[in-house]
Amino acid sequence: MTAVGADPPPALDGVTHRFVDIGDGVTIHVAEAGPADGRPVLLVHGFPQHWWEWRHLIGPLAADGYRVLCPDLRGAGWSSAPKAEYRKTVMADDLAAVLDRLGVGPATLVAHDWGGPVAFIMMLRHPAKVAGFFGMNTIAPWLTPDLAMARHLWRFWYQIPIALPIGGPRLIGDRRRRFLRRLASWVGGDWSLSEEELQAYAERFRRRDRAAACSRWYRTFLAREFVPWLRGEYADARVGVPVRWLHGTADPVLTPTLLRGYADRIDDFQVEWVDGVGHWIAEQRPALVLDRLRDFLTTTGHAVGRRRTAGAGGELAAASG
């Protein structure tokens, strides 16, 4: 594990940063907060984000006594961006390796967007390392190949330009952020990431290796993973730990249609639909997300002694707008 050097991540009160060597020349950046002996909660970001997506949740969860771990997926944020395929099984094993290197677990997984299938596959491949799963505006690697699914495929149009070998990195790395701005606005419904938030994420894509890596996230999925998932690569997998889904229904891409059949494969599954909320639920409604996540951690037996203060709650309420 190495310390933060040049080009540091943004500062956040109570958060420390480390780079975890997981082998093969790959290091995963982890933003960490809370007591070292607290029960681990692993928050896994999506695209185009990195660990900063969770900035509204980290402090309150740490104050509750949890050990909060926010890794940057390989290719994103401050983690390594190797020139390779970005299979989600490999990215899932990265998360398991981080827990191993830190000597923590089992952890409750919290995931959004691309972080969802990565973390979910990690749970399927390393079930002993997972105590529960809390997903928001994301999907598991279960796809239903029927007419209802086909009718929604057009919603993923944006993945094609992102996945292009040359054009994709250029779109992502555009200094004027034109493509990312339009995409962020479209998937957000009536709410979108602010210019400041979008800049915080887009700034990392000015590095060519990061823009190329995130393009490979999509290219690998479309070329190597989509069809196997559709054919049922994970169809026989069952989940024994508690799973909750929080889903903003104004998301035009990840619609409720995609979440069909989950209850048949998960012993303890519940979903809550949130009207008027788009894809960026953790940043649009952080107070709601925190409330539901706290309830999940409590009801599933993974709560710790809370040190919740009026000040922390008030700051979060103000942040949620």
Side-chain angles (χ1 to χ4, degrees), residues 124-136:
L124 297 179
R125 291 169 66 86
H126 307 275
K129 299 182 185 300
V130 179
F133 186 96
F134 186 94
M136 59 193 82

Side-chain angles (χ1 to χ4, degrees), residues 49-249:
Q49 295 141 311
H50 44 65
W51 75 275
W52 188 248
E53 174 179 0
W54 308 112
R55 63 195 177 280
H56 298 309
L57 306 185
I58 295 173
L61 289 175
D64 285 350
Y66 296 102
R67 184 175 182 181
V68 185
L69 303 170
C70 304
D72 287 335
L73 293 171
R74 70 162 60 196
W78 285 260
S79 290
S80 295
K83 294 180 179 179
E85 285 189 330
Y86 279 69
R87 290 185 179 270
K88 308 312 172 289
T89 52
V90 174
M91 297 169 74
D93 289 346
D94 289 348
L95 299 181
V98 166
L99 293 179
D100 282 342
R101 301 297 192 275
L102 297 180
V104 299
T108 297
L109 306 183
V110 181
H112 170 248
D113 188 75
W114 265 125
V118 171
F120 208 90
I121 291 171
M122 181 268 204
M123 175 171 59
L124 297 179
R125 291 169 66 86
H126 307 275
K129 299 182 185 300
V130 179
F133 186 96
F134 186 94
M136 59 193 82
N137 283 78
T138 188
I139 60 171
W142 291 322
L143 300 176
T144 304
D146 58 11
L147 184 58
M149 171 72 182
R151 287 171 176 165
H152 286 264
L153 288 178
W154 70 268
R155 299 177 184 276
F156 297 88
W157 63 267
Y158 64 92
Q159 295 194 5
I160 296 175
I162 292 176
L164 295 175
I166 297 176
R170 288 180 177 175
L171 280 177
I172 299 171
D174 177 18
R175 291 175 180 268
R176 297 174 64 182
R177 306 187 295 278
R178 288 168 292 189
F179 180 81
L180 289 179
R181 186 182 294 111
R182 288 187 178 183
L183 180 61
S185 178
W186 179 57
V187 302
D190 293 333
W191 186 94
S192 184
L193 299 173
S194 68
E195 280 297 311
E196 292 76 17
E197 290 167 329
L198 191 59
Q199 181 178 355
Y201 302 129
E203 183 68 22
R204 297 306 295 164
F205 296 132
R206 293 180 63 179
R207 293 179 54 117
R208 293 181 181 179
D209 60 342
R210 298 301 190 278
C214 285
S215 175
R216 290 189 181 104
W217 285 13
Y218 287 91
R219 187 157 63 255
T220 301
F221 171 67
L222 294 176
R224 306 294 185 190
E225 297 169 325
F226 175 69
V227 172
W229 290 11
L230 202 61
R231 289 178 174 173
E233 179 179 1
Y234 296 96
D236 294 332
R238 289 202 59 86
V239 178
V241 299
V243 174
R244 299 292 181 269
W245 234 262
L246 190 64
H247 199 95
T249 60

